[in-house]
Amino acid sequence: MKKRRFVFLFCLLWLGFSFAGLAAAEPSKGGEIVVGTDQNTTTMDPAMYQDAASSQTMINVYETLVIYDAEYKDIIPYLAESWSHTDDLREWTFRLRKGVRFHKTENQPGREMTAEDVKYSFERTLKISPMKRLFMLDHVEVVDPYTAKLVLNQPFAALLAVLTDVGSAVIPKEDAEKWGGDFSQHPVGTGPYRMTEWVKDSHMTFERYNDYWNREWLPHPLKVTYRYIVNKTAMTTALLSGQVHITREVLDQDVKKISDNAGHRVVKGAPCNVYAFYMNATRGPTTDPKVRELFFRAVDVSQIAKALFPNGSGEAAYGPIPPGSWGYNPDVRSFYTAYDPARAKELLAELGKKPGELKLRITTSEDERRKKAAIIAQAMLKKVGVEVEVQSLEWGSFMGVASKAEADIYAIGWTWYPDPFFYVYYMFHSEKKGSYGNGGAYNNPEVDKLIDLGASVGDQQARTGHYRKAEELIMGDRYYFPLYHMYAMNGVDNRIADFHPTPQGSVRLFGPDFSSYLNPDS
Amino acid sequence: MGRFALKRFLQMIPTLFFVLLVIFSLMKLIPGDPALTLLGPEASPSDVAAFREELGLNKPLPVQFLTYLRNVARGDLGRSLIYRTDVLTLIAERLPTTLVLSLCALSIAILLGVPLGIFASIHHNGFWDMLITVLALLGVSVPIFWVGMLLIVVFVLNLGLLPSVGLGSWDKGLWNVVSHFILPSCALAFQSVGTIARFTRSSMLEVLRQDYIRTAHAKGLRSRLILERHALRNALIPVVTVAGLQLGHLLAGAVLTESIFALPGLGKLMVDAIMRRDFLLVQGEVLVIALLYLLVNFLVDLLYALLNPKIRKSFGGA
């Protein structure tokens, strides 16, 4: 009898211990993460893509020579372990990692990646990319199987930033040639995931590739699904009801709703974008410097930002380089022409115009925020006696009008890498006249020179100096009226750990130095 | 009957031609250049010119239209500019979602609307009749997105019973797939329930006033038998037409529903295509939707002719 009781007690204790052991076990780091995205992946072919939304799904399958670290501060080695460049910044040599393998397919046995693949991938992009992403590249030389030399057609200091882009990913020739134009449907790279399902306009599923070449970098989630949800309210509902774990964007009015909810948080990333009114430099009233100064004096940008972002998902901008870029100048306001409505009225008199005689037209796309900004500016200008017509066109028409210098003033939005080059060059260099970035045909030879200088020296501090000087000239010319920077905002389920926002807002779940995971117990 | 069917069928061809002509002209008339939209802000003028050349956008409009017609006749709707795949493939991928959604909504509308209408007509001018009429009016006048949001708040956020975004996956089981369709179908059916109920009611009242119903009553037949045998069959003939027309209506309403519930149907594809000047895709979609609409109408007419001999006679066939 006693013996029996002892056995029973022993069993009870043993059971208790095993449960205690269960409770203390490591949280499960596998599982499935569901990302809600308001923008659709249009292609899975790195060379062909033109939109940030496609890049966030591609980074699961493809890898690049270099990548930004988790905080988006430094560029760190990825497929390349080291690199060097000549003093004139025209030749860049990359040492590749050994043992990097492509996914196994019917076209190749999961073979090792070599410098030949780098050459093939980059030259393919050079040839077919509609974005001309590698416009600075002349050709690639294969020095030996693990060394590739990129020969440029101009000195180009921002090359590494371009190479972090998944558009510059390394792909296997066999698969790309086999599928041709349909490579997008059969993406093959060296990354830790493979695409297993793509239901167009609905969702995409990526499953972890367990033969991935680098065990140390293997991310936690076994499965990552991207659900495409256009309607922002539906997106917030899906997040709060647990149908998605991370959203790509948060509307300003939903910030409170999500952060007040016990199971969720809003994660903010430093903005890497700038929105502005850009005035025409070749024709119309804005060619008169007094009209441009009047605009700056009459429109209070801080009020516009307050009206658009009452919950703080954006802030007023005072220059073209955003805070998320290392080229951002904290003193940028010293170049800025401050709001002063009394001076604006004087300027109107100096122009010899009575109230109501000066007429301007602001052209925007159908983007709600930009329309709103234009309407607020319209009211402010009306107060000082300037009549403004706000014209909003759908994207196709808007692009035509904006890039051909047919608008008095157009609303431009610009999001790119953290390197300042991508803001100043595309929007202010005279080479970019006739494109959306410099649609008003702004042309200042001094600014051109500084931008070219900024791209032709390797030292970041020296580059920053050139760009700041350029920024000062640009703001002094007053063609570019900065409006706001928007924070990258993600709505995140609290069970998601180790999540890092990107400045573009697109969702990145892993890198060589981190991996997000879903912790079901927290 | 055969001749009637053939005649009705042949009538569809000029309609389709006209639809194609109108949509082709519209796509040419709206401002915005597909080349600029697609090649992005960085395209050089020479790229744009090459692109226009490749798509034949430099040829005179009548030539472009005739080329398009010839290709359509061969079953080639062209390649989408955004997705870089065949338009036909894209439509085929999304058509099932929109069709399933519309047909589910139609079934719900008929299964609820017809009994409600009959019930109201039996209790003519009574409390139930009033209540159902008020509800039907409410149903017709409430916008889809509002109903959709309401359903989401109740069944997703408060009760946590059903999913509200996207399609399910077969590998997660049948229920996963079915459950994703429940809320969108209900939201889409909401308006049609009211329409069908009101129509059934008035059609029933019309029949119940007829002489032969009175005769049946005089013969001492039980009310229930009169309803089932004599009244219903005749009263439901016009309801068939309305239900058919409702399907067209639902196809249109599916666009909004797909947006609220993030379903990958034709509606979403269409909006994207228009926004991005993917003119071949827009033309292809309009063609397919018009064809569907015409087919539904054709089938409704056939059904109507089967149910009502007078119609067949008027076509001179038998």
Side-chain angles (χ1 to χ4, degrees):
Chain A
M1 196 66 211
K2 263 189 180 170
K3 197 173 166 187
R4 257 187 161 173
R5 203 174 287 169
F6 176 76
V7 170
F8 176 71
L9 264 177
F10 177 81
C11 285
L12 212 67
L13 273 174
W14 186 76
L15 261 177
F17 274 120
S18 32
F19 273 114
L22 261 184
E26 272 292 285
S28 134
K29 290 193 173 189
E32 177 181 2
I33 292 186
V34 185
V35 176
T37 175
D38 58 316
Q39 290 191 359
N40 208 352
T41 292
T42 50
T43 174
M44 285 293 288
D45 183 340
M48 298 310 292
Y49 99 94
Q50 303 187 56
D51 51 312
S54 297
S55 75
Q56 69 178 0
T57 45
M58 273 195 268
I59 53 176
N60 296 296
V61 177
Y62 301 107
E63 290 172 319
T64 45
L65 295 184
V66 288
I67 192 170
Y68 278 102
D69 64 358
E71 304 306 325
Y72 251 81
K73 281 277 169 285
D74 298 313
I75 293 177
I76 55 175
Y78 205 20
L79 291 180
E81 54 189 13
S82 63
W83 53 88
S84 59
H85 57 76
T86 52
D87 288 343
D88 64 359
L89 296 170
R90 280 170 172 271
E91 289 187 4
W92 296 66
T93 307
F94 291 85
R95 293 284 307 156
L96 306 180
R97 279 178 206 277
K98 292 193 168 102
V100 177
R101 296 193 168 278
F102 290 114
H103 302 156
K104 192 169 163 206
T105 64
E106 63 211 32
N107 307 308
Q108 41 85 20
R111 64 170 177 80
E112 193 181 22
M113 177 201 80
T114 68
E116 285 289 348
D117 297 299
V118 176
K119 179 179 168 68
Y120 172 77
S121 307
F122 285 12
E123 290 181 356
R124 175 176 180 266
T125 295
L126 186 59
K127 248 202 312 269
I128 65 173
S129 156
M131 286 286 281
K132 305 274 176 289
R133 201 169 266 110
L134 292 172
F135 65 91
M136 72 302 292
L137 181 69
D138 187 75
H139 64 278
V140 181
E141 286 171 17
V142 177
V143 179
D144 65 51
Y146 300 106
T147 313
K149 188 198 279 179
L150 275 56
V151 180
L152 310 188
N153 53 31
Q154 55 183 279
F156 193 72
L159 181 71
L160 289 180
V162 175
L163 296 186
T164 59
D165 190 302
V166 73
S168 316
V170 185
I171 61 171
K173 181 177 178 175
E174 296 90 332
D175 297 274
E177 303 277 294
K178 162 84 197 298
W179 296 112
D182 287 337
F183 183 63
S184 163
Q185 314 292 325
H186 309 271
V188 184
T190 58
Y193 290 89
R194 296 188 83 160
M195 183 172 87
T196 50
E197 191 182 27
W198 184 2
V199 180
K200 294 270 165 53
D201 280 353
S202 170
H203 59 276
M204 298 174 87
T205 310
F206 295 87
E207 286 181 29
R208 199 166 74 173
Y209 181 60
N210 287 328
D211 290 334
Y212 178 58
W213 60 274
N214 189 343
R215 300 298 303 174
E216 278 170 33
W217 290 355
L218 196 63
H220 297 305
L222 298 175
K223 215 175 181 186
V224 181
T225 301
Y226 293 79
R227 267 203 181 279
Y228 175 50
I229 306 168
V230 188
N231 184 302
K232 300 283 191 335
T233 320
M235 178 79 86
T236 304
T237 307
L239 177 73
L240 295 181
S241 59
Q243 297 177 74
V244 303
H245 302 121
I246 302 168
T247 66
R248 205 189 79 98
E249 199 191 344
V250 177
L251 279 187
D252 194 75
Q253 67 248 35
D254 286 348
V255 171
K256 227 173 117 41
K257 202 194 282 180
I258 294 170
S259 35
D260 287 354
N261 180 292
H264 297 85
R265 63 189 188 271
V266 171
V267 178
K268 246 181 181 184
C272 245
N273 54 47
V274 60
Y275 296 81
F277 289 142
Y278 209 165
M279 302 182 218
N280 200 319
T282 53
R283 60 183 97 160
T286 54
T287 50
D288 186 332
K290 280 204 165 120
V291 171
R292 300 199 301 274
E293 187 186 343
L294 191 158
F295 196 98
F296 272 83
R297 297 293 185 196
V299 179
D300 180 3
V301 70
S302 68
Q303 289 220 48
I304 292 183
K306 260 195 214 107
L308 291 180
F309 310 107
N311 296 301
S313 62
E315 57 179 35
Y318 296 96
I321 299 173
S325 160
W326 50 258
Y328 176 69
N329 181 358
D331 303 326
V332 69
R333 285 192 75 163
S334 57
F335 312 144
Y336 188 80
T337 311
Y339 170 65
D340 182 352
R343 174 78 190 115
K345 283 181 183 154
E346 283 169 24
L347 282 162
L348 191 66
E350 285 172 31
L351 283 161
K353 305 252 184 205
K354 292 193 185 66
E357 279 187 348
L358 176 60
K359 291 187 169 56
L360 297 171
R361 179 191 287 174
I362 301 178
T363 308
T364 74
S365 64
E366 301 232 305
D367 179 274
E368 283 305 319
R369 280 188 213 93
R370 295 178 218 185
K371 269 201 273 197
K372 233 179 180 171
I375 289 164
I376 298 170
Q378 177 187 39
M380 289 171 171
L381 283 152
K382 199 172 173 68
K383 275 194 187 145
V384 301
V386 180
E387 287 296 319
V388 174
E389 180 200 344
V390 176
Q391 172 194 39
S392 65
L393 305 169
E394 64 68 54
W395 190 250
S397 321
F398 169 73
M399 279 281 273
V401 170
S403 55
K404 289 184 205 137
E406 285 169 6
D408 283 351
I409 301 165
Y410 74 99
I412 179 173
W414 205 257
T415 305
W416 219 318
Y417 314 108
D419 192 307
F421 171 85
F422 297 98
Y423 299 88
V424 290
Y425 174 73
Y426 285 96
M427 292 194 287
F428 306 106
H429 201 291
S430 60
E431 282 174 8
K432 285 289 150 197
K433 275 195 286 200
S435 75
Y436 167 64
N438 185 0
Y442 174 74
N443 180 1
N444 180 340
E446 279 297 304
V447 170
D448 281 1
K449 208 181 299 169
L450 286 163
I451 295 173
D452 293 339
L453 269 174
S456 61
V457 290
D459 174 49
Q460 195 158 307
Q461 227 172 342
R463 291 185 64 201
T464 305
H466 294 308
Y467 292 137
R468 282 197 186 165
K469 276 199 201 109
E471 207 175 18
E472 184 174 1
L473 292 176
I474 290 161
M475 293 312 294
D477 284 337
R478 302 197 184 112
Y479 284 100
Y480 189 83
F481 183 87
L483 286 166
Y484 51 86
H485 304 293
M486 274 164 58
Y487 291 99
M489 306 272 268
N490 302 101
V492 183
D493 191 312
N494 279 341
R495 291 170 300 172
I496 297 281
D498 206 5
F499 174 77
H500 300 264
T502 68
Q504 290 88 358
S506 49
V507 175
R508 180 165 80 130
L509 295 174
F510 62 89
D513 51 344
F514 80 102
S515 166
S516 311
Y517 61 93
L518 180 69
N519 184 353
D521 315 323
S522 61
Chain B
M1 186 71 201
R3 256 178 72 187
F4 166 75
L6 188 70
K7 265 188 180 166
R8 266 299 280 106
F9 189 78
L10 288 176
Q11 281 174 355
M12 286 165 51
I13 295 169
T15 317
L16 265 185
F17 173 83
F18 191 70
V19 165
L20 273 176
L21 185 66
V22 168
I23 191 66
F24 180 86
S25 317
L26 273 180
M27 285 311 285
K28 294 294 170 204
L29 283 173
I30 42 178
D33 182 342
L36 263 183
T37 319
L38 277 155
L39 296 176
E42 288 310 304
S44 66
S46 63
D47 286 346
V48 175
F51 180 85
R52 298 178 61 87
E53 184 68 39
E54 184 191 338
L55 284 173
L57 292 171
N58 301 334
K59 297 200 179 79
L61 286 183
V63 176
Q64 284 186 44
F65 183 60
L66 286 174
T67 316
Y68 181 65
L69 274 188
R70 201 175 50 230
N71 290 341
V72 169
R74 286 200 307 239
D76 170 18
L77 298 183
R79 271 173 84 84
S80 150
L81 305 171
I82 318 173
Y83 297 93
R84 293 193 172 72
T85 32
D86 276 348
V87 167
L88 208 53
T89 318
L90 282 170
I91 293 174
E93 276 171 353
R94 288 166 180 73
L95 187 61
T97 304
T98 304
L99 273 184
V100 168
L101 179 64
S102 309
L103 289 172
C104 283
L106 186 66
S107 318
I108 294 172
I110 292 173
L111 289 176
L112 277 176
V114 171
L116 279 174
I118 294 169
F119 196 70
S121 68
I122 294 168
H123 299 275
H124 184 42
N125 283 343
F127 168 75
W128 291 110
D129 186 21
M130 292 294 171
L131 186 72
I132 288 169
T133 306
V134 168
L135 284 178
L137 274 171
L138 200 72
V140 174
S141 35
V142 169
I144 289 182
F145 58 86
W146 190 81
V147 177
M149 285 297 158
L150 198 70
L151 289 174
I152 289 175
V153 168
V154 174
F155 291 97
V156 182
L157 286 177
N158 293 342
L159 300 174
L161 283 177
L162 291 163
S164 66
V165 288
L167 289 175
S169 286
W170 283 108
D171 30 347
K172 289 183 183 161
L174 176 69
W175 171 243
N176 187 277
V177 176
V178 172
S179 64
H180 276 84
F181 269 108
I182 294 174
L183 288 181
S185 309
C186 290
L188 182 55
F190 207 79
Q191 287 190 331
S192 301
V193 172
T195 310
I196 289 178
R198 282 174 55 213
F199 212 88
T200 310
R201 173 183 172 272
S202 56
S203 173
M204 272 301 277
L205 288 175
E206 182 82 17
V207 171
L208 290 177
R209 275 199 287 268
Q210 301 285 342
D211 288 346
Y212 66 89
I213 300 287
R214 203 172 317 144
T215 312
H217 276 296
K219 280 198 309 192
L221 282 177
R222 274 178 306 136
S223 295
R224 190 170 164 176
L225 208 70
I226 296 172
L227 271 182
E228 285 172 5
R229 282 274 169 84
H230 301 280
L232 254 186
R233 192 186 148 166
N234 288 321
L236 285 184
I237 293 175
V239 176
V240 169
T241 319
V242 171
L245 290 174
Q246 280 298 312
L247 189 61
H249 196 75
L250 289 171
L251 279 174
V255 177
L256 271 177
T257 317
E258 283 166 13
S259 157
I260 301 163
F261 293 94
L263 287 167
L266 283 181
K268 179 73 205 69
L269 188 69
M270 184 72 130
V271 173
D272 266 2
I274 293 174
M275 281 299 165
R276 298 173 66 176
R277 288 285 173 280
D278 197 339
F279 63 98
L280 286 171
L281 185 52
V282 175
Q283 282 162 217
E285 277 209 82
V286 170
L287 179 65
V288 169
I289 291 171
L291 199 60
L292 271 176
Y293 206 94
L294 288 172
L295 272 177
V296 168
N297 271 324
F298 173 67
L299 290 175
V300 166
D301 281 0
L302 282 192
L303 204 59
Y304 207 81
L306 276 177
L307 292 172
N308 189 347
K310 277 189 202 161
I311 305 274
R312 292 201 296 268
K313 294 267 178 358
S314 70
F315 256 85

